[in-house]
Each structure stands twice: as structure tokens, then as C-alpha cells.
Amino acid sequence: NAHNGFWLRNTSGTLSSFTVSGSTFNDVNDTTGANAFLFEGSGTSTMTSGSISGSTFANNTPQRALTVQGHETATVGTLTVSGNTFVDNGVHASFEQDTSANLTFRFINNGSVATPMTGSILQAVNVFSSSQATGGTITGTISGNRIGNPAVAGSAGGAGGISGVIQGQTDATLLVDGNIIRQTSGDARGIGFAFRGAAPPLATTLPANNV
């Protein structure tokens, strides 16, 4: 595909359920591509629940495999991503929030002993909120995933196994538990999160007596 393999942008109303299973999202264009699979909740939309399972995301380097985003005042309800195969992507899975959207996800039991998540150029799993977010939430679980082949150096990811940047005025609640991560590249961390707060113009300067 020249750009996105699959793209859904919900701008209003309620999507009560969303299910993807047994599918293949491969070979996004190396130069013009963006995401093998992109889900965007935007505007005033709500997704009640969704799932992506038993699917394969492969050979999308250097682009992203799975990207889930919450924009404006949207609510992306519990999206469960489980039992999928991720091999040779720029980023295997990224969960992102901005403005005052609410995003809830469960990334669980992806990769296996036989086929762990391997070959990401950047992070294998990424969580991100915008520095200009004015509120909203990210609630996520990353659990039971196998990232990296213990016999192959650098196979877990060039920029880390599981990582995130929470900033702006986003309220994040994250559970990272029971993952097996082997062979990150260079000095990349297996798990790393940064919590940075708001950037200008949202950031404020406190009076000297309050510092």
C-alpha cells in the first residue's frame, strides 16, 4: 500500500464494537507509507470497545505497523490487542493521545516463544501523549508480551522494548507486567518511561516563593 494499509477515522457518534481477527497487514510502501493499520478516534466520537486478535503485522519497515490515536474530545474505549504477530516493522504498536481525548487499551499476549515480536527499528511498543494536551487520559495495560529473540542481538528494538512519553496535562495510568524482553539494541532500555508535564504555552512559571 502506498500510504495506510487500513485507516479508520471516527469523528462523531458511537461505535459500539470493533473487531478485527485473522487478518494480515503487510508491506506498506517503504517511502510513502505511514501505517499498516491506523485507528483514529477524533471529534466527539466514542468507541465503546474493540479488539484486534490473531492477526499478522509484518514487513512494514521503516513504517509503523499498528497505530491507535485519540484526538480532540473523543473517547477510545477499551481496545484489546492480543495474540498477534509483529515482525520487521518500524514500530510494532503505538498508542497516542492529544488534546483532551480519553484512550484505553490492553496490549496483551502478543508474540510467542516460536515467533516473538522482532525487528522494530524504533520502539517495539510505544505510548505517547502530546506536550500540548489540555487534559484527558491514557489508561493502558501492556502484559504478557514476548519481545525480542534471545538468540539474535538487537532483535527487540532499536530504541527499546516498551517505552513511553507522557506529557502535557494528560492523566496516565499504566500497568506494565509480565513481559519477556530480550536483546534490545545498543544501550536501549527494555522498559523506559518519561513523564515530562506540559511544554509552553501550556506550562506556567511559578512565582519564586512557590518554587
Side-chain angles (χ1 to χ4, degrees), residues 23-94:
S23 300
T24 301
F25 303 93
N26 290 1
D27 302 313
V28 168
N29 187 279
D30 291 353
T31 303
T32 63
N35 306 275
F37 189 109
L38 173 60
F39 181 97
E40 293 184 273
S42 61
T44 59
S45 68
T46 296
M47 183 186 76
T48 305
S49 66
S51 66
I52 301 172
S53 63
S55 295
T56 298
F57 300 80
N59 302 318
N60 297 298
T61 302
Q63 318 302 351
R64 297 179 175 202
L66 169 64
T67 302
V68 180
Q69 298 177 335
H71 307 298
E72 288 91 45
T73 61
T75 294
V76 179
T78 303
L79 177 62
T80 299
V81 181
S82 64
N84 300 287
T85 298
F86 293 87
V87 177
D88 293 338
N89 304 294
V91 175
H92 293 317
S94 186

Side-chain angles (χ1 to χ4, degrees), residues 148-163:
N149 185 334
V152 180
S155 60
I162 299 171
S163 65

